[in-house]
Amino acid sequence: NVKTGRYPFGIALSPDQKKVYVANVGMFEYSYIKSLDKDRLNETALKFTASAYGSREMIEGVKNDTLEFVGLGEMNELETFSVWAVDVSKEIPEVVSKVKTGVLVGEEEEGISAVGGSSPNSMVATDKFVYVSNGNNDNVSVIDITSDTVVSEIALKLDDRLGNLRGIIPFGLATSPDQKRLYVAEAGINAVAVIDIETQKVLGHIPTGWFPSKLKVTPDGKQLIVSNAKGYG
């Protein structure tokens, strides 16, 4: 067993099978309020929110005569909304890198301050890069496996005439056997994006069923298998 970040959701193996990549979609790790009696929940549970979102009390916690709870920590810690690499070539697996992807909480994006994380949910690895689908950002982060840094981001934009509309929700990834094409399940628009890996350009979108979530390319590279989480739609 290897400790991960918060809410490990996606996992991928490098082609050389020496590294495992884990995508963490969670923000906080919660704990019980100290005054809570599990046998007397109605009487001892709080009748109000313990702290405001983003407040000092939320981050550091509170301890006074009537209330005590452990703080949730900073919203942009490496345990949250991140991709961790685990070296599995050793006898004891070891976490060797922690990388944040997408827009950080509080970061300005097109004049709007982000209140939620990027939600990196799925990954696929090639010989040079790890591709990460950021469900809340409608883009794919590209991580260089040698430097363990994000070197670029691929925007999954449909058409300039749609302006700032959001909701593509990238939710799964696959590459062709020759590592020339990247396929991205676009759960919010019921399609799969086709991306040229060399140029990082979106070549087009293939219609699918309802909420495409996971993808696989057959070994001969001729067929793309799409798992639609909500059926035909």
Side-chain angles (χ1 to χ4, degrees):
N1 294 320
V2 180
K3 183 173 175 57
T4 68
R6 294 168 185 168
Y7 203 151
F9 188 84
I11 192 166
L13 181 66
S14 63
D16 61 10
Q17 300 188 12
K18 292 182 179 180
K19 281 185 179 179
V20 167
Y21 297 94
V22 182
N24 306 296
V25 300
M27 179 181 283
F28 296 128
E29 184 174 349
Y30 297 95
S31 59
Y32 283 107
I33 294 171
K34 298 290 185 180
S35 59
L36 185 70
D37 184 344
K38 298 176 186 178
D39 296 325
R40 299 171 54 247
L41 290 177
N42 288 337
E43 295 84 359
T44 60
L46 292 183
K47 304 298 190 292
F48 50 85
T49 304
S51 60
Y53 179 75
S55 66
R56 179 179 58 81
E57 290 80 9
M58 184 205 79
I59 296 170
E60 299 177 3
V62 168
K63 183 177 182 179
N64 56 36
D65 293 339
T66 58
L67 180 63
E68 182 179 353
F69 64 88
V70 177
L72 299 176
E74 298 287 347
M75 292 175 283
N76 287 316
E77 292 180 351
L78 285 172
E79 284 73 18
T80 71
F81 305 117
S82 56
V83 172
W84 289 18
V86 182
D87 186 345
V88 293
S89 65
K90 303 175 182 179
E91 184 175 350
I92 300 177
E94 177 187 4
V95 175
V96 292
S97 72
K98 302 175 183 179
V99 182
K100 299 283 290 184
T101 66
V103 180
L104 301 179
V105 178
E107 187 177 341
E108 291 285 326
E109 181 76 359
E110 296 181 353
I112 300 174
S113 180
V115 295
S118 57
S119 188
N121 51 67
S122 300
M123 297 157 299
V124 66
T126 65
D127 296 330
K128 296 180 180 179
F129 302 104
V130 178
Y131 298 90
V132 186
S133 52
N134 297 308
N136 287 349
N137 294 163
D138 290 353
N139 64 20
V140 174
S141 290
V142 184
I143 299 175
D144 185 307
I145 64 172
T146 56
S147 63
D148 290 321
T149 57
V150 176
V151 292
S152 62
E153 289 182 342
I154 304 171
L156 299 173
K157 203 167 185 180
L158 287 172
D159 192 293
D160 289 336
R161 291 171 294 183
L162 294 176
N164 294 327
L165 290 178
R166 293 292 180 264
I168 290 175
I169 313 178
F171 205 72
L173 300 163
T175 56
S176 58
D178 59 9
Q179 298 186 5
K180 291 184 177 181
R181 292 285 185 270
L182 173 67
Y183 301 97
V184 185
E186 300 171 304
I189 61 170
N190 303 334
V192 171
V194 182
I195 298 171
D196 179 75
I197 284 181
E198 184 178 359
T199 62
Q200 297 187 3
K201 299 294 184 183
V202 178
L203 303 179
H205 305 265
I206 304 170
T208 67
W210 190 7
F211 210 91
S213 56
K214 297 298 174 183
L215 308 174
K216 188 73 175 179
V217 182
T218 54
D220 60 10
K222 294 182 178 181
Q223 288 186 305
L224 175 66
I225 312 301
V226 183
S227 172
N228 299 298
K230 298 186 178 182
Y232 290 107

